[in-house]
Amino acid sequence: MGTAIVITSGKGGVGKTTSSANIGTALALLGKSVCMIDADIGLRNLDVVMGLENRIIYDIVDVATGGCRLEQALIRDKRVDQLSILPASQTKDKTALDADRVLAIVQQLKEKFDFVIIDSPAGIEHGFKVATIGADEAIVVTTPETAAVRDADRVIGLLEGQQIRSPKLVINRIRPKMVRAGDMLDIDEIVQVLSIDLLGIVPDDETVIAHNIKGEPTVLKPDSKASLAYRNIARRILGDSVPLMVLDEEQGLWAKVRKLFGSRA
Amino acid sequence: MGSRMTEQRQIDQKPPVSVKGVKGGLLFVLDDHCPHDELLNHLTEMFHGELSTLFSGPETNVFIDYGARKLSIEETRDLLRIFIDKENFIVKEFGNETRARNSLFYHHKDKMSQVKEHIYKGTVRAGQQLLFDGDVVIIGDVNPGGEVAATGDVYVLGRLRGVVHAGVQGNQTAIIAAAEFSPMQLKIADWVSRAPELDGQPLRTFMEFAYLREDGMAVDKLLYVHSVRK
């Protein structure tokens, strides 16, 4: 029996779909069988980010309403064998999914896959409830901004009310320079406010956008910091203890000299 | 002793009757202090005046809580008659400490008893609203966007960064205390106040509390609580 993990945030635009795609792919690269569910009905994105848009014939609403069998709607990834995706519907809206039906689908997938990754829509209404109902665990994605942290806090409260085992935190889009200058919330500060376990931090990396456009999850390219960050997250999900990444960029010669003499920059 | 809070004001006079939607109907909480005649007039105005359409319609269960008010037999009759005469009202409860009123408050799963001191363990997160009957100690943080209200005192053994309302039913001697005191907003009885903005000031590690004195709200170190509240 596999584990279902919902990836959620409350606020939109913090990187839920990107995180889902990358965490799912990274888990598959580590040898686990993974199925990703796009629960953002009406605004489907996960298939686009994964570059699988042109292969969709059936979607999750078809499965839920009995229009096709579950196996027919699953799309096998073109690069990673162990990875499948159950796409959302583009034409219907969020109310088209019934919580009980989704629960049944997630249960069925858990029997076949090691991990079921559910990409939740933004917000805390019906779509959020549907996305979280079948989940055993939750990953809350936030960015170092006040509004995103506030929404993450709200969502954690709701998840705790639903008896989801202690949600884990991913802080996305960190810019070390801005944090150092005090223009972005500090990681410690965020963890202290939200008081949940930190699963990983992901630096703001332009290659993520470049890969998004090409329809390739960043983790497939091992050369960027964001890619390494998502691989680390996947390893921590599997129980490895991987130290947090040091985000400080290469410093100039003078900074190194100053460090050498122990003075504060 | 006691620095005054910035930006404070008294909330407008509360009407003598507050109506709350509860499970299965409407709860009418009657003010303890206002004169009996004024209460009757207010109710009559509510049910038969300009806004009476709000209360007409399909049959509705009503629960009436008169709090600490002492009622003579005559007064009880007058009061009840107003509700009974309203054709679509079904009077389900009439008294003080009614079940409907108590259901508004946060209860621990194990003890639904008449405890007036509560200990809440955990973080009060954004969007959560907790209401306690009596005093409460929050062991954990109250995050921005979280709200704690109590009919008595509120103590936060953690970081208070949200909204706290002590003495919700008018207790002006109620206090608010926290290990780290940086609330968004404070309310005691019918006073509301905003904490001074402390930009860039280092975190303070002592407990402080807010209380009311003749000239408004003040904040002090918690160790003075006993000298303030003889």
Side-chain angles (χ1 to χ4, degrees):
Chain A
M1 194 73 167
T3 311
I5 305 175
V6 63
I7 298 193
T8 182
S9 71
K11 191 175 178 299
V14 297
K16 277 182 301 297
T17 302
T18 309
S19 295
S20 302
N22 281 298
I23 293 172
T25 310
L27 283 168
L29 287 173
L30 288 167
K32 299 289 168 189
S33 61
V34 179
C35 180
M36 302 195 280
I37 302 180
D38 190 349
D40 198 351
I41 313 301
L43 293 168
R44 77 170 193 224
N45 287 145
L46 190 58
D47 51 293
V48 182
V49 172
M50 293 297 295
L52 300 170
E53 202 181 358
N54 52 5
R55 305 186 178 201
I56 296 174
I57 297 163
Y58 297 110
D59 57 53
I60 189 169
V61 177
D62 293 323
V63 181
T65 52
C68 72
R69 280 177 295 114
L70 179 57
E71 294 74 22
Q72 288 178 298
L74 290 181
I75 299 167
R76 178 77 61 85
D77 186 80
K78 52 189 176 188
R79 296 142 300 206
V80 190
D81 274 350
Q82 304 257 53
L83 189 61
S84 298
I85 159 170
L86 178 58
S89 166
Q90 188 81 284
T91 45
K92 322 239 176 20
D93 67 66
K94 288 185 178 89
T95 51
L97 270 190
D98 187 45
D100 293 341
R101 296 294 307 139
V102 175
L103 182 61
I105 293 172
V106 174
Q107 294 290 357
Q108 243 176 300
L109 289 171
K110 270 166 68 179
E111 283 166 21
K112 289 190 195 129
F113 294 91
D114 297 327
F115 286 97
V116 178
I117 306 284
I118 307 160
D119 181 21
S120 140
I124 51 173
E125 300 83 21
H126 180 73
F128 170 79
K129 293 195 179 92
V130 168
T132 50
I133 190 161
D136 307 304
E137 291 177 18
I139 294 175
V140 177
V141 182
T142 188
T143 57
E145 295 160 273
T146 320
V149 173
R150 186 75 52 87
D151 290 358
D153 193 38
R154 178 94 170 91
V155 161
I156 294 165
L158 294 172
L159 290 170
E160 283 171 347
Q162 288 191 23
Q163 268 100 44
I164 285 183
R165 293 200 286 260
S166 54
K168 304 274 191 297
L169 183 66
V170 167
I171 306 176
N172 196 10
R173 290 222 195 103
I174 296 170
R175 297 193 194 182
K177 265 188 197 158
M178 287 184 76
V179 174
R180 241 177 295 138
D183 294 332
M184 221 176 213
L185 292 175
D186 180 11
I187 296 163
D188 290 341
E189 172 71 17
I190 298 171
V191 174
Q192 201 177 352
V193 167
L194 299 179
S195 57
I196 58 171
D197 293 343
L198 182 62
L199 185 63
I201 51 177
V202 183
D204 194 28
D205 193 335
E206 283 167 6
T207 58
V208 174
I209 301 169
H211 289 147
N212 255 352
I213 289 173
K214 287 186 205 140
E216 285 194 342
T218 311
V219 278
L220 288 173
K221 299 273 188 298
D223 46 3
S224 73
K225 282 206 160 188
S227 164
L228 184 63
Y230 280 119
R231 284 163 182 251
N232 286 349
I233 289 171
R235 285 172 62 193
R236 289 189 198 105
I237 293 174
L238 296 179
D240 292 1
S241 75
V242 187
L244 275 190
M245 215 169 172
V246 181
L247 288 183
D248 277 347
E249 283 144 36
E250 291 286 310
Q251 288 169 333
L253 176 67
W254 277 110
K256 278 181 188 158
V257 172
R258 248 184 267 139
K259 218 177 197 173
L260 208 63
F261 286 100
S263 71
R264 288 188 181 183
Chain B
M1 188 175 69
S3 52
R4 264 182 65 114
M5 306 277 296
T6 52
E7 291 257 357
Q8 52 180 311
R9 64 190 171 82
Q10 198 154 10
I11 305 163
D12 298 335
Q13 200 62 46
K14 264 194 292 186
V17 179
S18 52
V19 187
K20 294 183 161 69
V22 291
K23 222 186 204 169
L26 290 175
L27 168 65
F28 290 81
V29 182
L30 313 183
D31 187 83
D32 297 352
H33 305 295
C34 87
H36 186 68
D37 289 341
E38 194 186 310
L39 183 65
L40 292 185
N41 286 337
H42 186 85
L43 284 169
T44 316
E45 176 63 29
M46 265 169 100
F47 297 152
H48 305 287
E50 262 177 62
L51 294 172
S52 60
T53 46
L54 279 176
F55 294 100
S56 10
E59 288 187 350
T60 314
N61 292 333
V62 297
F63 309 88
I64 303 141
D65 196 300
Y66 49 77
R69 177 178 290 275
K70 298 264 182 299
L71 288 168
S72 69
I73 297 175
E74 266 314 298
E75 287 170 339
T76 311
R77 276 198 196 122
D78 290 347
L79 198 54
L80 259 175
R81 189 167 298 129
I82 293 184
F83 285 94
I84 291 169
D85 285 353
K86 182 91 179 125
E87 60 286 342
N88 58 325
F89 277 6
I90 305 163
V91 177
K92 287 283 180 183
E93 253 188 316
F94 183 79
N96 68 345
E97 299 267 322
T98 52
R99 213 165 29 80
R101 172 192 170 276
N102 289 341
S103 72
L104 290 176
F105 296 99
Y106 176 85
H107 288 290
H108 295 278
K109 283 177 202 105
D110 43 333
K111 34 182 174 181
M112 291 279 286
S113 57
Q114 298 292 312
V115 200
K116 291 285 187 182
E117 281 137 13
H118 306 270
I119 293 181
Y120 179 86
K121 291 172 189 156
T123 309
V124 182
R125 298 187 180 276
Q128 289 183 334
Q129 286 179 314
L130 299 176
L131 178 60
F132 296 90
D133 194 9
D135 300 340
V136 60
V137 177
I138 306 283
I139 307 194
D141 297 347
V142 179
N143 278 353
E147 272 185 62
V148 174
T151 56
D153 301 342
V154 178
Y155 303 87
V156 180
L157 298 185
R159 310 212 289 183
L160 168 50
R161 313 176 77 193
V163 177
V164 170
H165 191 172
V168 271
Q169 289 183 333
N171 177 5
Q172 300 221 344
T173 61
I175 67 159
I176 300 165
E180 189 191 308
F181 208 79
S182 39
M184 239 183 216
Q185 207 179 69
L186 294 173
K187 296 174 195 163
I188 295 179
D190 51 356
W191 283 76
V192 63
S193 168
R194 238 181 39 202
E197 310 230 342
L198 303 163
D199 233 12
Q201 192 166 316
L203 300 181
R204 291 165 296 168
T205 48
F206 47 84
M207 302 251 298
E208 291 186 291
F209 72 103
Y211 61 97
L212 285 181
R213 54 182 195 190
E214 298 76 41
D215 57 346
M217 206 184 285
V219 169
D220 237 317
K221 290 185 182 162
L222 190 62
L223 66 138
Y224 296 126
V225 67
H226 298 293
S227 58
V228 171
R229 271 186 141 179
K230 276 154 213 138

